[in-house]
Amino acid sequence: MAPNMQTAANAPSANPQQEPSDSSGMEANLPQRHTSFYAITMIVLRVQDTLYRVDIRLLQRFQVFREMFDNAGQHNTDKREGVEDTDPIVLQGVTNFEFE
């Protein structure tokens, strides 16, 4: 149970993203995310058939989650598990009652 997590350490690049600014097709620079002080602290977990959006700092109080997040931080991949409802971190073998 060591899913990949998006944290400040493995967050998307701090390079600005480009998006059209108006109907003329001109692009505008978006602000950059600071590499150290842009915390992505909310994660999505799935327990049984329920989604939970939880602050990662709350979960880090528990050793099992600290170890899971530490292991995920060691694997630098593009997988963004736990960031969106469509790709939650699935906690298998845990009931909603146990998680809550």
Side-chain angles (χ1 to χ4, degrees), residues 33-90:
R33 292 178 176 173
H34 191 278
T35 56
S36 298
F37 297 106
Y38 187 89
I40 300 172
T41 61
M42 299 300 284
I43 59 168
V44 180
L45 301 172
R46 179 179 172 182
V47 179
Q48 295 181 311
D49 289 329
T50 304
L51 294 178
Y52 296 85
R53 182 173 289 276
V54 183
D55 191 317
I56 194 171
R57 295 171 294 184
L58 175 69
L59 295 176
Q60 287 176 331
R61 295 178 184 173
F62 303 96
Q63 183 170 350
V64 65
F65 287 106
R66 280 195 309 270
E67 290 173 359
M68 182 174 70
F69 300 144
D70 287 345
N71 289 336
Q74 295 173 7
H75 305 287
N76 189 11
T77 67
D78 292 333
K79 187 151 176 65
R80 298 175 50 128
E81 188 174 314
V83 176
E84 301 290 335
D85 286 359
T86 56
D87 193 18
I89 297 170
V90 179

Short mmCIF file of all heavy atoms in Angstrom, two decimals, residues 33-90:
data_model
loop_
_atom_site.label_atom_id
_atom_site.label_comp_id
_atom_site.label_asym_id
_atom_site.label_seq_id
_atom_site.Cartn_x
_atom_site.Cartn_y
_atom_site.Cartn_z
N ARG A 33 4.17 28.48 -9.47
CA ARG A 33 4.01 27.94 -8.13
C ARG A 33 5.38 27.91 -7.48
O ARG A 33 6.33 27.42 -8.07
CB ARG A 33 3.45 26.52 -8.18
CG ARG A 33 2.03 26.46 -8.68
CD ARG A 33 1.57 25.04 -8.75
NE ARG A 33 0.18 24.98 -9.13
CZ ARG A 33 -0.47 23.87 -9.39
NH1 ARG A 33 0.16 22.71 -9.33
NH2 ARG A 33 -1.73 23.91 -9.73
N HIS A 34 5.47 28.42 -6.27
CA HIS A 34 6.73 28.38 -5.54
C HIS A 34 7.05 26.93 -5.22
O HIS A 34 6.18 26.16 -4.82
CB HIS A 34 6.63 29.20 -4.26
CG HIS A 34 7.95 29.42 -3.62
ND1 HIS A 34 8.54 28.48 -2.82
CD2 HIS A 34 8.80 30.47 -3.68
CE1 HIS A 34 9.70 28.95 -2.40
NE2 HIS A 34 9.88 30.15 -2.92
N THR A 35 8.29 26.52 -5.40
CA THR A 35 8.65 25.11 -5.23
C THR A 35 8.62 24.65 -3.78
O THR A 35 8.44 23.47 -3.51
CB THR A 35 10.05 24.84 -5.82
OG1 THR A 35 10.98 25.71 -5.21
CG2 THR A 35 10.04 25.04 -7.31
N SER A 36 8.79 25.55 -2.82
CA SER A 36 8.78 25.16 -1.41
C SER A 36 7.53 25.60 -0.66
O SER A 36 7.11 24.96 0.28
CB SER A 36 9.99 25.75 -0.68
OG SER A 36 11.18 25.25 -1.24
N PHE A 37 6.94 26.72 -1.07
CA PHE A 37 5.85 27.29 -0.30
C PHE A 37 4.51 27.25 -1.03
O PHE A 37 3.68 28.14 -0.92
CB PHE A 37 6.18 28.73 0.10
CG PHE A 37 7.37 28.81 1.00
CD1 PHE A 37 8.58 29.26 0.51
CD2 PHE A 37 7.30 28.39 2.31
CE1 PHE A 37 9.69 29.32 1.33
CE2 PHE A 37 8.41 28.44 3.13
CZ PHE A 37 9.61 28.90 2.64
N TYR A 38 4.30 26.22 -1.80
CA TYR A 38 3.01 25.99 -2.45
C TYR A 38 2.60 24.57 -2.07
O TYR A 38 2.87 23.61 -2.78
CB TYR A 38 3.10 26.15 -3.97
CG TYR A 38 1.75 26.07 -4.64
CD1 TYR A 38 1.00 27.21 -4.83
CD2 TYR A 38 1.24 24.87 -5.06
CE1 TYR A 38 -0.24 27.15 -5.43
CE2 TYR A 38 0.00 24.79 -5.67
CZ TYR A 38 -0.74 25.94 -5.85
OH TYR A 38 -1.97 25.87 -6.44
N ALA A 39 1.98 24.46 -0.92
CA ALA A 39 1.65 23.15 -0.39
C ALA A 39 0.37 22.61 -1.02
O ALA A 39 -0.63 23.31 -1.12
CB ALA A 39 1.48 23.22 1.12
N ILE A 40 0.44 21.40 -1.45
CA ILE A 40 -0.73 20.69 -1.93
C ILE A 40 -1.08 19.71 -0.82
O ILE A 40 -0.50 18.63 -0.73
CB ILE A 40 -0.45 19.98 -3.26
CG1 ILE A 40 -0.05 21.01 -4.29
CG2 ILE A 40 -1.66 19.18 -3.71
CD1 ILE A 40 0.43 20.43 -5.58
N THR A 41 -1.98 20.13 0.04
CA THR A 41 -2.19 19.36 1.26
C THR A 41 -3.46 18.54 1.28
O THR A 41 -3.63 17.71 2.15
CB THR A 41 -2.19 20.29 2.49
OG1 THR A 41 -3.26 21.22 2.36
CG2 THR A 41 -0.87 21.02 2.61
N MET A 42 -4.37 18.76 0.34
CA MET A 42 -5.61 17.99 0.33
C MET A 42 -5.46 16.81 -0.63
O MET A 42 -5.00 16.97 -1.76
CB MET A 42 -6.78 18.86 -0.10
CG MET A 42 -7.03 20.03 0.84
SD MET A 42 -7.40 19.55 2.54
CE MET A 42 -9.08 19.02 2.35
N ILE A 43 -5.81 15.62 -0.15
CA ILE A 43 -5.74 14.43 -0.99
C ILE A 43 -7.10 13.74 -1.00
O ILE A 43 -7.91 13.92 -0.09
CB ILE A 43 -4.64 13.46 -0.53
CG1 ILE A 43 -4.89 13.00 0.90
CG2 ILE A 43 -3.27 14.07 -0.67
CD1 ILE A 43 -4.02 11.85 1.31
N VAL A 44 -7.32 12.95 -2.03
CA VAL A 44 -8.57 12.21 -2.16
C VAL A 44 -8.30 10.74 -1.89
O VAL A 44 -7.42 10.13 -2.50
CB VAL A 44 -9.17 12.39 -3.58
CG1 VAL A 44 -10.47 11.60 -3.70
CG2 VAL A 44 -9.38 13.85 -3.90
N LEU A 45 -9.06 10.20 -0.96
CA LEU A 45 -8.97 8.79 -0.60
C LEU A 45 -10.30 8.12 -0.91
O LEU A 45 -11.36 8.74 -0.77
CB LEU A 45 -8.69 8.63 0.89
CG LEU A 45 -7.42 9.27 1.44
CD1 LEU A 45 -7.41 9.19 2.96
CD2 LEU A 45 -6.20 8.61 0.86
N ARG A 46 -10.23 6.87 -1.31
CA ARG A 46 -11.45 6.08 -1.49
C ARG A 46 -11.43 4.94 -0.50
O ARG A 46 -10.49 4.14 -0.46
CB ARG A 46 -11.55 5.53 -2.91
CG ARG A 46 -12.79 4.69 -3.09
CD ARG A 46 -12.92 4.16 -4.48
NE ARG A 46 -14.04 3.21 -4.52
CZ ARG A 46 -14.38 2.55 -5.59
NH1 ARG A 46 -13.71 2.71 -6.71
NH2 ARG A 46 -15.38 1.71 -5.54
N VAL A 47 -12.48 4.88 0.32
CA VAL A 47 -12.68 3.79 1.25
C VAL A 47 -14.02 3.18 0.89
O VAL A 47 -15.05 3.87 0.92
CB VAL A 47 -12.67 4.28 2.71
CG1 VAL A 47 -12.91 3.12 3.66
CG2 VAL A 47 -11.37 5.01 3.03
N GLN A 48 -14.01 1.92 0.52
CA GLN A 48 -15.19 1.23 -0.01
C GLN A 48 -15.73 2.06 -1.17
O GLN A 48 -14.99 2.32 -2.11
CB GLN A 48 -16.21 0.99 1.11
CG GLN A 48 -15.68 0.02 2.16
CD GLN A 48 -16.67 -0.27 3.26
OE1 GLN A 48 -17.25 0.64 3.83
NE2 GLN A 48 -16.84 -1.56 3.56
N ASP A 49 -16.96 2.51 -1.12
CA ASP A 49 -17.53 3.31 -2.21
C ASP A 49 -17.70 4.77 -1.83
O ASP A 49 -18.59 5.45 -2.34
CB ASP A 49 -18.89 2.72 -2.64
CG ASP A 49 -18.72 1.40 -3.37
OD1 ASP A 49 -17.68 1.24 -4.05
OD2 ASP A 49 -19.61 0.54 -3.28
N THR A 50 -16.84 5.27 -0.94
CA THR A 50 -16.93 6.65 -0.47
C THR A 50 -15.62 7.37 -0.71
O THR A 50 -14.55 6.83 -0.44
CB THR A 50 -17.25 6.68 1.04
OG1 THR A 50 -18.46 5.94 1.27
CG2 THR A 50 -17.43 8.10 1.54
N LEU A 51 -15.70 8.59 -1.24
CA LEU A 51 -14.52 9.44 -1.42
C LEU A 51 -14.40 10.39 -0.25
O LEU A 51 -15.39 10.95 0.22
CB LEU A 51 -14.63 10.25 -2.71
CG LEU A 51 -14.59 9.46 -4.02
CD1 LEU A 51 -14.77 10.42 -5.19
CD2 LEU A 51 -13.30 8.69 -4.15
N TYR A 52 -13.17 10.59 0.21
CA TYR A 52 -12.86 11.52 1.28
C TYR A 52 -11.79 12.48 0.76
O TYR A 52 -10.80 12.03 0.17
CB TYR A 52 -12.29 10.80 2.51
CG TYR A 52 -13.24 9.84 3.17
CD1 TYR A 52 -13.37 8.53 2.72
CD2 TYR A 52 -14.00 10.23 4.27
CE1 TYR A 52 -14.23 7.64 3.34
CE2 TYR A 52 -14.86 9.35 4.90
CZ TYR A 52 -14.98 8.05 4.42
OH TYR A 52 -15.83 7.18 5.04
N ARG A 53 -11.95 13.78 0.95
CA ARG A 53 -10.90 14.76 0.66
C ARG A 53 -10.39 15.20 2.03
O ARG A 53 -11.11 15.82 2.80
CB ARG A 53 -11.41 15.95 -0.14
CG ARG A 53 -10.28 16.93 -0.47
CD ARG A 53 -10.72 18.03 -1.40
NE ARG A 53 -10.97 17.55 -2.75
CZ ARG A 53 -10.02 17.39 -3.68
NH1 ARG A 53 -8.78 17.68 -3.40
NH2 ARG A 53 -10.33 16.97 -4.88
N VAL A 54 -9.14 14.84 2.31
CA VAL A 54 -8.59 14.99 3.65
C VAL A 54 -7.28 15.76 3.57
O VAL A 54 -6.49 15.57 2.64
CB VAL A 54 -8.33 13.60 4.29
CG1 VAL A 54 -7.82 13.73 5.70
CG2 VAL A 54 -9.59 12.75 4.25
N ASP A 55 -7.03 16.59 4.56
CA ASP A 55 -5.76 17.30 4.66
C ASP A 55 -4.67 16.29 5.02
O ASP A 55 -4.76 15.59 6.02
CB ASP A 55 -5.84 18.39 5.72
CG ASP A 55 -4.66 19.34 5.69
OD1 ASP A 55 -3.51 18.86 5.55
OD2 ASP A 55 -4.88 20.55 5.82
N ILE A 56 -3.64 16.23 4.20
CA ILE A 56 -2.56 15.26 4.39
C ILE A 56 -1.89 15.44 5.76
O ILE A 56 -1.43 14.48 6.36
CB ILE A 56 -1.54 15.35 3.24
CG1 ILE A 56 -0.61 14.14 3.25
CG2 ILE A 56 -0.76 16.64 3.30
CD1 ILE A 56 0.27 14.06 2.02
N ARG A 57 -1.87 16.67 6.26
CA ARG A 57 -1.23 16.92 7.56
C ARG A 57 -1.99 16.22 8.68
O ARG A 57 -1.38 15.78 9.66
CB ARG A 57 -1.13 18.42 7.81
CG ARG A 57 -0.20 19.11 6.80
CD ARG A 57 -0.26 20.60 6.90
NE ARG A 57 -1.60 21.04 6.50
CZ ARG A 57 -1.97 22.30 6.40
NH1 ARG A 57 -1.12 23.26 6.70
NH2 ARG A 57 -3.19 22.63 6.03
N LEU A 58 -3.29 16.09 8.55
CA LEU A 58 -4.08 15.36 9.54
C LEU A 58 -3.72 13.88 9.53
O LEU A 58 -3.53 13.26 10.57
CB LEU A 58 -5.57 15.55 9.26
CG LEU A 58 -6.54 14.77 10.14
CD1 LEU A 58 -6.51 15.30 11.57
CD2 LEU A 58 -7.94 14.84 9.58
N LEU A 59 -3.60 13.33 8.33
CA LEU A 59 -3.28 11.90 8.21
C LEU A 59 -1.86 11.58 8.66
O LEU A 59 -1.59 10.48 9.14
CB LEU A 59 -3.48 11.44 6.77
CG LEU A 59 -4.92 11.49 6.25
CD1 LEU A 59 -4.97 11.10 4.79
CD2 LEU A 59 -5.84 10.60 7.08
N GLN A 60 -0.95 12.53 8.53
CA GLN A 60 0.44 12.28 8.91
C GLN A 60 0.62 12.10 10.40
O GLN A 60 1.70 11.73 10.85
CB GLN A 60 1.34 13.39 8.38
CG GLN A 60 1.53 13.30 6.88
CD GLN A 60 2.34 14.45 6.32
OE1 GLN A 60 2.34 15.55 6.86
NE2 GLN A 60 3.02 14.20 5.23
N ARG A 61 -0.42 12.29 11.15
CA ARG A 61 -0.36 12.01 12.59
C ARG A 61 -0.27 10.51 12.86
O ARG A 61 0.12 10.08 13.93
CB ARG A 61 -1.59 12.57 13.30
CG ARG A 61 -1.69 14.07 13.26
CD ARG A 61 -2.94 14.53 13.92
NE ARG A 61 -3.09 15.98 13.79
CZ ARG A 61 -4.16 16.63 14.16
NH1 ARG A 61 -5.18 16.00 14.69
NH2 ARG A 61 -4.21 17.94 14.00
N PHE A 62 -0.67 9.72 11.85
CA PHE A 62 -0.70 8.27 12.00
C PHE A 62 0.47 7.65 11.24
O PHE A 62 0.69 7.96 10.07
CB PHE A 62 -2.03 7.71 11.46
CG PHE A 62 -3.23 8.30 12.15
CD1 PHE A 62 -3.90 9.38 11.58
CD2 PHE A 62 -3.67 7.81 13.36
CE1 PHE A 62 -4.99 9.94 12.21
CE2 PHE A 62 -4.77 8.36 14.00
CZ PHE A 62 -5.43 9.43 13.43
N GLN A 63 1.19 6.77 11.90
CA GLN A 63 2.41 6.20 11.32
C GLN A 63 2.17 5.51 9.99
O GLN A 63 2.98 5.64 9.07
CB GLN A 63 3.07 5.23 12.30
CG GLN A 63 4.38 4.69 11.76
CD GLN A 63 5.17 3.94 12.79
OE1 GLN A 63 4.85 3.95 13.96
NE2 GLN A 63 6.21 3.27 12.35
N VAL A 64 1.08 4.79 9.84
CA VAL A 64 0.83 4.07 8.59
C VAL A 64 0.75 5.04 7.41
O VAL A 64 1.27 4.77 6.33
CB VAL A 64 -0.45 3.20 8.69
CG1 VAL A 64 -1.70 4.05 8.85
CG2 VAL A 64 -0.56 2.29 7.48
N PHE A 65 0.15 6.21 7.61
CA PHE A 65 0.07 7.20 6.54
C PHE A 65 1.41 7.90 6.33
O PHE A 65 1.80 8.17 5.20
CB PHE A 65 -1.04 8.22 6.81
CG PHE A 65 -2.41 7.65 6.62
CD1 PHE A 65 -3.21 7.36 7.71
CD2 PHE A 65 -2.91 7.39 5.35
CE1 PHE A 65 -4.48 6.83 7.54
CE2 PHE A 65 -4.17 6.87 5.17
CZ PHE A 65 -4.96 6.58 6.27
N ARG A 66 2.14 8.18 7.41
CA ARG A 66 3.48 8.79 7.26
C ARG A 66 4.36 7.91 6.41
O ARG A 66 5.04 8.38 5.49
CB ARG A 66 4.13 9.02 8.63
CG ARG A 66 3.64 10.25 9.36
CD ARG A 66 4.56 10.62 10.53
NE ARG A 66 4.84 9.51 11.43
CZ ARG A 66 4.11 9.22 12.51
NH1 ARG A 66 3.05 9.93 12.81
NH2 ARG A 66 4.44 8.21 13.29
N GLU A 67 4.36 6.61 6.69
CA GLU A 67 5.18 5.68 5.91
C GLU A 67 4.71 5.62 4.46
O GLU A 67 5.53 5.59 3.55
CB GLU A 67 5.13 4.29 6.55
CG GLU A 67 5.85 4.23 7.88
CD GLU A 67 5.66 2.90 8.60
OE1 GLU A 67 4.95 2.01 8.08
OE2 GLU A 67 6.23 2.75 9.71
N MET A 68 3.40 5.62 4.25
CA MET A 68 2.86 5.57 2.90
C MET A 68 3.29 6.80 2.11
O MET A 68 3.74 6.70 0.98
CB MET A 68 1.33 5.48 2.95
CG MET A 68 0.67 5.37 1.59
SD MET A 68 -1.11 5.10 1.68
CE MET A 68 -1.66 6.68 2.29
N PHE A 69 3.20 7.98 2.71
CA PHE A 69 3.57 9.21 2.02
C PHE A 69 5.07 9.31 1.83
O PHE A 69 5.53 9.79 0.79
CB PHE A 69 3.05 10.43 2.79
CG PHE A 69 1.56 10.46 2.95
CD1 PHE A 69 0.99 10.95 4.10
CD2 PHE A 69 0.72 9.96 1.96
CE1 PHE A 69 -0.39 10.97 4.26
CE2 PHE A 69 -0.67 9.98 2.11
CZ PHE A 69 -1.22 10.48 3.26
N ASP A 70 5.85 8.85 2.80
CA ASP A 70 7.31 8.86 2.65
C ASP A 70 7.73 7.96 1.48
O ASP A 70 8.57 8.33 0.67
CB ASP A 70 8.01 8.39 3.93
CG ASP A 70 7.96 9.43 5.04
OD1 ASP A 70 7.64 10.60 4.75
OD2 ASP A 70 8.22 9.05 6.19
N ASN A 71 7.13 6.77 1.39
CA ASN A 71 7.45 5.85 0.30
C ASN A 71 7.04 6.44 -1.04
O ASN A 71 7.74 6.29 -2.03
CB ASN A 71 6.77 4.50 0.51
CG ASN A 71 7.41 3.71 1.64
OD1 ASN A 71 8.55 3.92 1.98
ND2 ASN A 71 6.63 2.82 2.22
N ALA A 72 5.90 7.10 -1.08
CA ALA A 72 5.42 7.70 -2.33
C ALA A 72 6.35 8.82 -2.77
O ALA A 72 6.60 9.00 -3.96
CB ALA A 72 4.01 8.22 -2.15
N GLY A 73 6.88 9.58 -1.83
CA GLY A 73 7.78 10.68 -2.16
C GLY A 73 9.10 10.22 -2.75
O GLY A 73 9.78 10.97 -3.44
N GLN A 74 9.47 8.97 -2.48
CA GLN A 74 10.72 8.44 -3.01
C GLN A 74 10.60 8.01 -4.46
O GLN A 74 11.59 7.82 -5.14
CB GLN A 74 11.17 7.25 -2.16
CG GLN A 74 11.52 7.63 -0.74
CD GLN A 74 11.79 6.41 0.13
OE1 GLN A 74 11.84 5.30 -0.35
NE2 GLN A 74 11.95 6.65 1.42
N HIS A 75 9.38 7.86 -4.94
CA HIS A 75 9.14 7.44 -6.32
C HIS A 75 8.67 8.64 -7.11
O HIS A 75 7.53 9.07 -6.99
CB HIS A 75 8.09 6.32 -6.38
CG HIS A 75 8.44 5.16 -5.51
ND1 HIS A 75 9.43 4.27 -5.84
CD2 HIS A 75 7.96 4.74 -4.32
CE1 HIS A 75 9.53 3.36 -4.89
NE2 HIS A 75 8.66 3.62 -3.96
N ASN A 76 9.56 9.19 -7.90
CA ASN A 76 9.23 10.39 -8.68
C ASN A 76 8.63 9.97 -10.01
O ASN A 76 9.33 9.68 -10.95
CB ASN A 76 10.49 11.24 -8.90
CG ASN A 76 10.15 12.58 -9.49
OD1 ASN A 76 8.99 12.97 -9.55
ND2 ASN A 76 11.17 13.29 -9.93
N THR A 77 7.30 9.91 -10.07
CA THR A 77 6.61 9.55 -11.29
C THR A 77 5.61 10.64 -11.64
O THR A 77 5.36 11.54 -10.85
CB THR A 77 5.85 8.21 -11.15
OG1 THR A 77 4.79 8.41 -10.22
CG2 THR A 77 6.78 7.10 -10.69
N ASP A 78 5.03 10.54 -12.81
CA ASP A 78 4.04 11.51 -13.23
C ASP A 78 2.64 11.16 -12.75
O ASP A 78 1.71 11.90 -12.97
CB ASP A 78 4.05 11.63 -14.77
CG ASP A 78 5.33 12.26 -15.27
OD1 ASP A 78 5.94 13.04 -14.52
OD2 ASP A 78 5.71 11.97 -16.42
N LYS A 79 2.47 10.02 -12.12
CA LYS A 79 1.16 9.60 -11.66
C LYS A 79 0.71 10.54 -10.54
O LYS A 79 1.44 10.82 -9.63
CB LYS A 79 1.20 8.17 -11.15
CG LYS A 79 -0.16 7.63 -10.80
CD LYS A 79 -0.19 6.14 -11.01
CE LYS A 79 -1.50 5.53 -10.58
NZ LYS A 79 -2.62 5.95 -11.36
N ARG A 80 -0.51 11.01 -10.64
CA ARG A 80 -1.02 11.99 -9.69
C ARG A 80 -2.15 11.40 -8.86
O ARG A 80 -3.20 12.01 -8.69
CB ARG A 80 -1.48 13.22 -10.45
CG ARG A 80 -0.34 13.89 -11.18
CD ARG A 80 -0.84 15.01 -12.02
NE ARG A 80 -1.68 15.88 -11.23
CZ ARG A 80 -1.55 17.17 -11.14
NH1 ARG A 80 -0.59 17.76 -11.79
NH2 ARG A 80 -2.37 17.89 -10.41
N GLU A 81 -1.94 10.24 -8.33
CA GLU A 81 -2.94 9.56 -7.52
C GLU A 81 -3.26 10.38 -6.28
O GLU A 81 -2.36 10.88 -5.61
CB GLU A 81 -2.40 8.19 -7.14
CG GLU A 81 -3.40 7.30 -6.47
CD GLU A 81 -2.82 5.91 -6.26
OE1 GLU A 81 -2.23 5.34 -7.20
OE2 GLU A 81 -2.93 5.42 -5.14
N GLY A 82 -4.55 10.54 -6.00
CA GLY A 82 -4.97 11.25 -4.80
C GLY A 82 -5.21 12.73 -5.00
O GLY A 82 -5.60 13.42 -4.08
N VAL A 83 -4.99 13.22 -6.22
CA VAL A 83 -5.16 14.66 -6.48
C VAL A 83 -6.59 14.97 -6.90
O VAL A 83 -7.15 15.98 -6.51
CB VAL A 83 -4.16 15.14 -7.54
CG1 VAL A 83 -4.38 16.60 -7.88
CG2 VAL A 83 -2.73 14.93 -7.04
N GLU A 84 -7.19 14.09 -7.68
CA GLU A 84 -8.53 14.31 -8.22
C GLU A 84 -9.47 13.18 -7.78
O GLU A 84 -9.03 12.06 -7.50
CB GLU A 84 -8.49 14.35 -9.75
CG GLU A 84 -7.61 15.42 -10.33
CD GLU A 84 -8.17 16.82 -10.13
OE1 GLU A 84 -9.40 16.95 -9.98
OE2 GLU A 84 -7.38 17.77 -10.11
N ASP A 85 -10.77 13.48 -7.79
CA ASP A 85 -11.77 12.45 -7.47
C ASP A 85 -11.70 11.27 -8.42
O ASP A 85 -12.05 10.15 -8.06
CB ASP A 85 -13.18 13.04 -7.52
CG ASP A 85 -13.49 13.94 -6.33
OD1 ASP A 85 -12.62 14.10 -5.45
OD2 ASP A 85 -14.61 14.49 -6.29
N THR A 86 -11.28 11.51 -9.64
CA THR A 86 -11.23 10.46 -10.64
C THR A 86 -10.06 9.50 -10.45
O THR A 86 -10.03 8.45 -11.08
CB THR A 86 -11.15 11.07 -12.06
OG1 THR A 86 -10.02 11.94 -12.11
CG2 THR A 86 -12.43 11.82 -12.39
N ASP A 87 -9.10 9.83 -9.60
CA ASP A 87 -7.94 8.97 -9.35
C ASP A 87 -7.58 9.00 -7.86
O ASP A 87 -6.49 9.47 -7.48
CB ASP A 87 -6.75 9.43 -10.20
CG ASP A 87 -5.63 8.39 -10.23
OD1 ASP A 87 -5.90 7.22 -9.90
OD2 ASP A 87 -4.51 8.77 -10.57
N PRO A 88 -8.48 8.52 -7.01
CA PRO A 88 -8.20 8.57 -5.57
C PRO A 88 -7.19 7.51 -5.14
O PRO A 88 -6.92 6.56 -5.87
CB PRO A 88 -9.57 8.25 -4.96
CG PRO A 88 -10.20 7.34 -5.96
CD PRO A 88 -9.74 7.87 -7.31
N ILE A 89 -6.64 7.69 -3.97
CA ILE A 89 -5.84 6.65 -3.33
C ILE A 89 -6.83 5.68 -2.71
O ILE A 89 -7.66 6.08 -1.89
CB ILE A 89 -4.92 7.23 -2.25
CG1 ILE A 89 -3.93 8.19 -2.87
CG2 ILE A 89 -4.22 6.11 -1.47
CD1 ILE A 89 -3.15 9.00 -1.86
N VAL A 90 -6.79 4.43 -3.13
CA VAL A 90 -7.74 3.44 -2.65
C VAL A 90 -7.16 2.74 -1.43
O VAL A 90 -6.06 2.19 -1.49
CB VAL A 90 -8.08 2.42 -3.75
CG1 VAL A 90 -9.06 1.37 -3.23
CG2 VAL A 90 -8.64 3.14 -4.98
#
